[in-house]
């Protein structure tokens, strides 16, 4: 974008999203690659239809249902063919921890860093696919939305009823079902 469009993208420092690493300041909150790419989506696709929010939601839904790491970068990484795990969540903590345990390593290992570098690369790739479609006028969400189990909880906690819950993450990762 810096090369082909120029301003304002020439104003973005290369290290602008450095703070997103390890879920922002090492806190394991949102996966930093989702945060960084969401900022770019906001810059490119903000319009009166709130396309930027739709694309961010689609990217996050895609992330939670994907299996990581992708094989796309196996030719250029140090650890190709790593074990693949679906994070089921956009949170750095859940994404990184479930993979780390499945891989039998620890979070400071080079293997884990290689895995997360591949995650970041794939999130950037998926962002570019969506933004190119947006610019072509052909964008449509492609990731699966909330699961049936989550939709069940949102029947009562969502906007049509009590409306006391924020978000669309998979509820059962953190809560048990109090209706059973
Ligand atoms: C039939 C409606 C209904 C459904 C479906 C439902 N809830 Fe609730 N939920 C309630 C009501 C009413 C309360 C508040 C009263 C109470 O504590 O039971 C509540 C309370 C809660 C609380 C507060 C703490 C607690 O346990 O009381 C949490 C957390 C919660 N629900 C999560 C969920 C999740 C996760 C699901 C899906 C598995 C879900 N709920 C499905 C109606 C529902
Ligand atoms: C990443 C973990 C996580 C996910 C995913 C999650 N929650 Fe929660 N939720 C919490 C925590 C932690 C709290 C605060 C502690 C508590 O009350 O359980 C909370 C609080 C709540 C409360 C208020 C409970 C109270 O009594 O104050 C409700 C209602 C609730 N969640 C519903 C949901 C629903 C519905 C979903 C799915 C759409 C969901 N949550 C997804 C972790 C999560």
């Amino acid at each position: 974008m810096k090369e082909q469009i120029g301003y304002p993208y020439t104003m973005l420092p290369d290290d602008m999203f450095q703070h997103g690493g390890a879920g922002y300041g090492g806190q394991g909150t949102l996966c930093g690659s989702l945060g960084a790419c969401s900022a770019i989506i906001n810059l490119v696709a903000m319009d009166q239809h709130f396309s930027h929010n739709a694309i961010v939601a689609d990217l996050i839904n895609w992330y939670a249902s994907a299996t990581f790491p992708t094989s796309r970068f196996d030719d250029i990484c140090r650890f190709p063919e790593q074990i693949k795990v679906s994070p089921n969540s956009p949170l750095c903590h859940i994404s990184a921890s479930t993979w780390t345990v499945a891989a039998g390593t620890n979070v400071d290992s080079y293997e884990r860093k290689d895995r997360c570098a591949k995650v970041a690369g794939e999130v950037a790739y998926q962002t570019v696919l969506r933004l190119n479609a947006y610019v072509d006028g052909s964008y449509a969400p492609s990731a699966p939305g909330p699961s049936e189990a989550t939709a069940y909880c949102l029947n009562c906690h969502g906007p049509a009823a009590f409306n006391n819950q924020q978000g669309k993450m998979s509820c059962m990762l953190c809560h048990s079902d109090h209706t059973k």
Side-chain angles (χ1 to χ4, degrees), residues 149 152-153 156-157 162 171-172 175-179:
Y152 169 73
C153 309
C156 289
H157 291 282
F162 299 113
C171 318
M172 303 297 279
H175 295 288
S176 53
D177 186 351
H178 68 87
T179 65

Side-chain angles (χ1 to χ4, degrees), residues 41-84:
I41 291 169
N42 188 86
L43 284 177
V44 175
M46 191 173 75
D47 61 24
Q48 71 273 28
H49 307 297
F50 293 92
S51 300
H52 52 308
N53 285 350
I55 300 174
V56 166
D58 185 42
L59 185 73
I60 290 175
N61 285 336
W62 160 79
Y63 180 105
S65 62
T67 49
F68 291 124
T70 173
S71 306
R72 197 184 303 281
F73 309 105
D74 275 5
D75 289 346
I76 53 169
C77 67
R78 188 156 137 195
F79 296 99
E81 292 174 28
Q82 288 181 306
I83 186 170
K84 294 181 195 292

Side-chain angles (χ1 to χ4, degrees), residues 5-26:
I5 299 172
Y7 179 85
Y9 300 105
T10 45
M11 301 292 288
L12 296 183
D14 289 343
D15 287 334
M16 185 162 160
F17 297 112
Q18 216 274 339
H19 65 297
Y24 289 87

Side-chain angles (χ1 to χ4, degrees), residues 112-142:
R112 203 280 305 157
K113 290 174 184 164
D114 216 37
R115 177 264 183 195
C116 288
K118 289 185 240 174
V119 171
E122 186 65 25
V123 172
Y125 182 90
Q126 293 289 332
T127 299
V128 170
L129 287 183
R130 284 163 173 77
L131 289 180
N132 282 344
Y134 172 77
V135 171
D136 290 348
S138 63
Y139 172 75
S142 53

